[in-house]
C-alpha cells in the first residue's frame, strides 16, 4: 500500500489564521493516523504580497501548534526545494513541454484588454470566460510578438469536456469546462499561477491526499486537467467544510483573520486550541469532544469530516460588528470573546489535566506580565505561589485569566463598592455580627508553629459555627461571610481562598469590612 503523504502549503502573505491552521491540522492528523508523512511547502510566488515577516509568523505559528513536518523548510527532504520561489525552473520546463505538445500557448492580451472584456460580460449578467483570442496564433505570429517585446502569459488549452471530481468529503462533483475557459498557468512576470504550480509540486512531492477547504473545490477541475495533460495520476481529494462565525455567516476578513498567535498570547494552550480546531468539521467515532492530541492522531479519519459548515463560536460578532479583530490589541481582544464557548470549556479541561510542573512553567510568563507578584517570588520553586496557582487553575479558561485573581493575594485590600454598598448581604442587620463572629473564630485559629497558616477544613468548621451561633444558614450565611472576608460577591471556594490568603490578610479584611459597615450611610 502506498505511503500516505499530505501537505500544508500556505502563502506567506499575512498571518496564519484559523482557516489555514485547521487545514494544517487536518493534514497533520491524517498523516499521523495513517503512519504517513506531513509536508510543509511555502507557496510564495505572489511577489507583491509575500513577505519574510509573514513567512516567519507562519513558521512560528505552526511550531507553537506543534505540527512537526517530515519535509519542508528548516527540515529539508528529498523533494526540495520547499519554497515555490526556488522552483521556478521546474515550472518553466513543464510549461515549455505543454506548449510543445499544443496543450498550452502564449497569450499576449493585456491586463486592460482583459479587464474591459470582463466588465462587458458582467454588464450583460454573464460570467467571464476568456474568449480564446490568442488560442490559434501561428508560431510566426508568436515569434513576431515576442521579438517586438510584447509581454505574455501562458494559458492552458482547456478541452471541451466534463470534469468529474470524486471527493472524499463532498462526494461526486461535476464541472463543465465551457464555464472555465483557457486559464493562465504562467503569469507575465514568469511566475507560475497557483493552479499550475500546485499540480507540479504535488506530483513531484508524491502527495497522495489533498486536504483543504471547500473554497478550493472550484480550483480542482483546472488542476485535474493539468494532471491529465501530463498523464500523471491525480491525488485523492478531500474538501472540508467552510468555517462560519457565531452569526452563521462565512468568516469575513475582519472577523476571521485573527492571527493564531493571538490565541497563544491570550493564554490558550496549543493542546486546547488543536482540540477545538479538530472539532471544526470533524467528529470522533464515539462522539467525545475533549481529546489529547495523541488520541486525535490515532482516531482522525478524513472520511468522518462533515460537509456542513463548522461554527467558530469564539467571538461575539454582534459586539465586534464594527471592529477589525485582526487589528485589535491582545489586551482588548478578550472583551470580544464569548465567555461560554466550546473553546473555553476545552481550554479549562486541558488546563486542569496539565501536569503540575508543566502548568506552573506555562503560566509563569502570564504571572510575570501582571506585574503583581514581586520578581523575587515569581519562580517555579516559590511554594506559596505554586499553591495559589495550582488552587486557581480549575477556575481558569485561559492562562491569561490569572490576572483576575492574583491581585487579591499580593496587593493591598481594596473592596469594590459596587459589590457591597447596595448588596442585600451588606445591608442586612446581621452583617456586622456575622463578620465579628467569623473574625473571632479566625483569630482563635493557630497552626502548630503559631504562624499565619489557615486550614480549609478548619475554615469550614468556623463557617458552620458562625451559622449555629447566630441562627443563620444557606445563602445569607455563605454570601454574607464571603462579602465580609473578601469584599466581593464571587470568587473561589471560600475555605480554599481564605487558606491561600493566610490568617493575617483574612483578619485584616474582616476588620476593614466591619469598619465599612459601621460607618456606612443606611440605604433607602
Amino acid at each position: 500500500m502506498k505511503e500516505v503523504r499530505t501537505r500544508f502549503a500556505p502563502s506567506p502573505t499575512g498571518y496564519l489564521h484559523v482557516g489555514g491552521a485547521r487545514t494544517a491540522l487536518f493534514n497533520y492528523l491524517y498523516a499521523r493516523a495513517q503512519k504517513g508523512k506531513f509536508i510543509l511547502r511555502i507557496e510564495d510566488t505572489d511577489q507583491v504580497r509575500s513577505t519574510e515577516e509573514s513567512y516567519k509568523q507562519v513558521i512560528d505559528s505552526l511550531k507553537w501548534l506543534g505540527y512537526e513536518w517530515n519535509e519542508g523548510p528548516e527540515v529539508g527532504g528529498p523533494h526540495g526545494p520547499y519554497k515555490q520561489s526556488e522552483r521556478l525552473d521546474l515550472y518553466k520546463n513543464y510549461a515549455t513541454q505543454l506548449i510543445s505538445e499544443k496543450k498550452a500557448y502564449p497569450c499576449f492580451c493585456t491586463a486592460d484588454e482583459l479587464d474591459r472584456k470582463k466588465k462587458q460580460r458582467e454588464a450583460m449578467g454573464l460570467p467571464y470566460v476568456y474568449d480564446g483570442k490568442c488560442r490559434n496564433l501561428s508560431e510566426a505570429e508568436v515569434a513576431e510578438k515576442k521579438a517586438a517585446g510584447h509581454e505574455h502569459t501562458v494559458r492552458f488549452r482547456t478541452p471541451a469536456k466534463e470534469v468529474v471530481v470524486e471527493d472524499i468529503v463532498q462526494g461526486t462533483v461535476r464541472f463543465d469546462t465551457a464555464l472555465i475557459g483557457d486559464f493562465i498557468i504562467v503569469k507575465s512576470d514568469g511566475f507560475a499561477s497557483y493552479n499550475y504550480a500546485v499540480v507540479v509540486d504535488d506530483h513531484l512531492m508524491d502527495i497522495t491526499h489533498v486536504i483543504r477547504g471547500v473554497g478550493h473545490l472550484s480550483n480542482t477541475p483546472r488542476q485535474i486537467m493539468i494532471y491529465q495533460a501530463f498523464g500523471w495520476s491525480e491525488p485523492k481529494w478531500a474538501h472540508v467544510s467552510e468555517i462560519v462565525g457565531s452569526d452563521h455567516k462565512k468568516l469575513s476578513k475582519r472577523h476571521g483573520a485573527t492571527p493564531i498567535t493571538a490565541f497563544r498570547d491570550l493564554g490558550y494552550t496549543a493542546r486546547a486550541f488543536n482540540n477545538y480546531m479538530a472539532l471544526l468539521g470533524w467528529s470522533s467515532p464515539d462522539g467525545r469532544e475533549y481529546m489529547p492530541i495523541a488520541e486525535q492522531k490515532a482516531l482522525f479519519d478524513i472520511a468522518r469530516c462533515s460537509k456542513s459548515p463548522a461554527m467558530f463560536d469564539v467571538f461575539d460578532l454582534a459586539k465586534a460588528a464594527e471592529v477589525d479583530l485582526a487589528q485589535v490589541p491582545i489586551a482588548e481582544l478578550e472583551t470580544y470573546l464569548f465567555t461560554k464557548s466550546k473553546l473555553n470549556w476545552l481550554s479549562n479541561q486541558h488546563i486542569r489535566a496539565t501536569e503540575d510542573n508543566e502548568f506552573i512553567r506555562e503560566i509563569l510568563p502570564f504571572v510575570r506580565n501582571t506585574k503583581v507578584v514581586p520578581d523575587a517570588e515569581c519562580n517555579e520553586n516559590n511554594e506559596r505561589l505554586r499553591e495559589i496557582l495550582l488552587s486557581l487553575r480549575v477556575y481558569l479558561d485561559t492562562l491569561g485569566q490569572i490576572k483576575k485573581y492574583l491581585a487579591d493575594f499580593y496587593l493591598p485590600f481594596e473592596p469594590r463598592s459596587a459589590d457591597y454598598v447596595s448588596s442585600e448581604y451588606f445591608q442586612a442587620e446581621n452583617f456586622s455580627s456575622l463578620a465579628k463572629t467569623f473574625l473571632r473564630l479566625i483569630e482563635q485559629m493557630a497552626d502548630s508553629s503559631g504562624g499565619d497558616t489557615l486550614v480549609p477544613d478548619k475554615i469550614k468548621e468556623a463557617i458552620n459555627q458562625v451559622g449555629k451561633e447566630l441562627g443563620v444558614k444557606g445563602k445569607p450565611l455563605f454570601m454574607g461571610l464571603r462579602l465580609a472576608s473578601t469584599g466581593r460577591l464571587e470568587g473561589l471556594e471560600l475555605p480554599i481562598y481564605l487558606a491561600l490568603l493566610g490568617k493575617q490578610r483574612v483578619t485584616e479584611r474582616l476588620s476593614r469590612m466591619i469598619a465599612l459597615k459601621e460607618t456606612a450611610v443606611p440605604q433607602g
Side-chain angles (χ1 to χ4, degrees), residues 420-435:
Y420 70 85
V421 170
S422 60
S423 166
E424 62 179 293
Y425 307 106
F426 186 75
Q427 295 302 322
E429 291 184 7
N430 64 358
F431 180 81
S432 291
S433 299
L434 285 170

Side-chain angles (χ1 to χ4, degrees), residues 418-518:
D419 273 352
Y420 70 85
V421 170
S422 60
S423 166
E424 62 179 293
Y425 307 106
F426 186 75
Q427 295 302 322
E429 291 184 7
N430 64 358
F431 180 81
S432 291
S433 299
L434 285 170
K436 289 177 180 178
T437 305
F438 196 38
L439 174 60
R440 170 173 56 81
L441 293 173
I442 294 293
E443 288 177 331
Q444 291 172 358
M445 292 181 188
D447 62 22
S448 57
S449 63
D452 190 47
T453 303
L454 292 177
V455 179
D457 286 344
K458 294 294 184 182
I459 295 172
K460 288 180 183 178
E461 292 176 7
I463 292 172
N464 291 332
Q465 182 63 29
V466 171
K468 289 179 182 178
E469 289 187 20
L470 300 180
V472 183
K473 59 184 178 180
K475 205 168 184 180
L477 172 65
F478 296 112
M479 292 300 293
L481 292 182
R482 174 177 290 282
L483 188 59
S485 56
T486 71
R488 300 188 181 182
L489 294 172
E490 82 290 325
L492 314 184
E493 187 178 344
L494 194 58
I496 294 174
Y497 180 36
L498 299 185
L500 290 171
L501 283 173
K503 183 176 178 180
Q504 181 180 344
R505 287 185 177 85
V506 174
T507 55
E508 287 175 351
R509 293 177 185 206
L510 283 165
S511 298
R512 177 79 177 277
M513 292 303 295
I514 290 169
L516 285 170
K517 172 63 177 178
E518 293 181 347

Side-chain angles (χ1 to χ4, degrees), residues 15-16 57 60-61 64 258-267 330:
Y15 297 115
L16 181 66
Q57 197 276 341
D60 184 38
S61 299
W64 174 67
T258 304
I260 290 301
T261 48
F263 296 97
R264 175 195 65 188
D265 296 342
L266 282 168
I330 296 298

Side-chain angles (χ1 to χ4, degrees), residues 159-189:
K161 59 186 292 187
E162 181 182 67
V163 177
V164 179
V165 181
E166 297 294 349
D167 192 274
I168 296 172
V169 178
Q170 302 296 326
T172 301
V173 187
R174 302 176 185 277
F175 293 88
D176 183 352
T177 63
L179 299 176
I180 296 174
D182 295 350
F183 54 93
I184 293 173
I185 60 173
V186 179
K187 294 174 281 189
S188 59
D189 61 5

Side-chain angles (χ1 to χ4, degrees), residues 6-294:
T6 67
R7 51 77 169 170
F8 177 54
S11 298
T13 55
Y15 297 115
L16 181 66
H17 49 77
V18 66
R22 184 193 64 166
T23 296
L25 175 63
F26 281 13
N27 278 279
Y28 175 65
L29 292 179
Y30 190 66
R32 293 295 177 261
Q34 299 297 317
K35 305 294 188 287
K37 296 288 196 307
F38 172 60
I39 319 302
L40 176 63
R41 183 175 72 231
I42 304 299
E43 298 187 343
D44 59 346
T45 56
D46 186 337
Q47 292 298 287
V48 175
R49 298 170 60 223
S50 294
T51 67
E52 184 66 17
E53 179 186 1
S54 292
Y55 166 72
K56 290 178 179 177
Q57 197 276 341
V58 168
I59 296 294
D60 184 38
S61 299
L62 293 174
K63 286 181 176 179
W64 174 67
L65 291 167
Y67 308 160
E68 308 102 339
W69 49 96
N70 301 96
E71 299 175 25
E74 301 187 2
V75 175
H79 300 87
Y82 293 92
K83 287 186 176 181
Q84 285 189 337
S85 60
E86 299 171 5
R87 300 170 64 83
L88 300 183
D89 286 344
L90 287 169
Y91 309 137
K92 181 179 179 181
N93 292 339
Y94 281 109
T96 299
Q97 177 184 333
L98 289 177
I99 291 172
S100 68
E101 295 174 354
K102 307 299 183 185
K103 295 174 181 175
Y105 59 90
C107 174
F108 298 90
C109 297
T110 66
D112 287 343
E113 181 181 357
L114 294 173
D115 186 57
R116 185 173 64 254
K117 291 179 179 180
K118 182 178 180 180
K119 288 179 178 177
Q120 288 174 348
R121 297 280 293 184
E122 289 175 348
M124 293 186 288
L126 299 172
Y128 173 70
V129 179
Y130 178 64
D131 60 10
K133 176 183 176 182
C134 296
R135 197 175 216 259
N136 297 312
L137 291 176
S138 67
E139 291 185 11
E141 289 173 312
V142 169
E144 181 183 347
K145 288 181 179 293
K146 286 183 177 179
H150 292 293
E151 285 190 346
H152 69 279
T153 61
V154 176
R155 286 186 182 271
F156 183 79
R157 196 182 296 273
T158 299
K161 59 186 292 187
E162 181 182 67
V163 177
V164 179
V165 181
E166 297 294 349
D167 192 274
I168 296 172
V169 178
Q170 302 296 326
T172 301
V173 187
R174 302 176 185 277
F175 293 88
D176 183 352
T177 63
L179 299 176
I180 296 174
D182 295 350
F183 54 93
I184 293 173
I185 60 173
V186 179
K187 294 174 281 189
S188 59
D189 61 5
F191 279 78
S193 71
Y194 166 75
N195 283 308
Y196 168 58
V198 74
V199 171
V200 173
D201 289 342
D202 283 348
H203 171 71
L204 295 179
M205 293 181 183
D206 205 19
I207 300 303
T208 62
H209 292 73
V210 172
I211 303 169
R212 55 193 180 186
V214 71
H216 281 286
L217 183 59
S218 61
N219 290 320
T220 309
R222 294 170 175 82
Q223 293 168 21
I224 288 176
M225 286 189 285
I226 294 173
Y227 275 105
Q228 292 172 345
F230 283 118
W232 296 339
S233 297
E234 64 185 85
K236 295 185 183 300
W237 308 98
H239 290 86
V240 297
S241 62
E242 70 174 354
I243 299 176
V244 298
S246 56
D247 56 0
H248 299 274
K249 298 177 182 178
K250 184 177 179 180
L251 286 179
S252 68
K253 289 183 178 180
R254 287 191 301 117
H255 295 151
T258 304
I260 290 301
T261 48
F263 296 97
R264 175 195 65 188
D265 296 342
L266 282 168
Y268 292 102
T269 65
R271 298 182 296 280
F273 204 76
N274 281 325
N275 192 165
Y276 175 75
M277 286 196 299
L279 302 175
L280 293 176
W282 173 78
S283 60
S284 65
D286 60 6
R288 279 184 302 124
E289 295 191 316
Y290 169 75
M291 283 177 291
I293 197 162

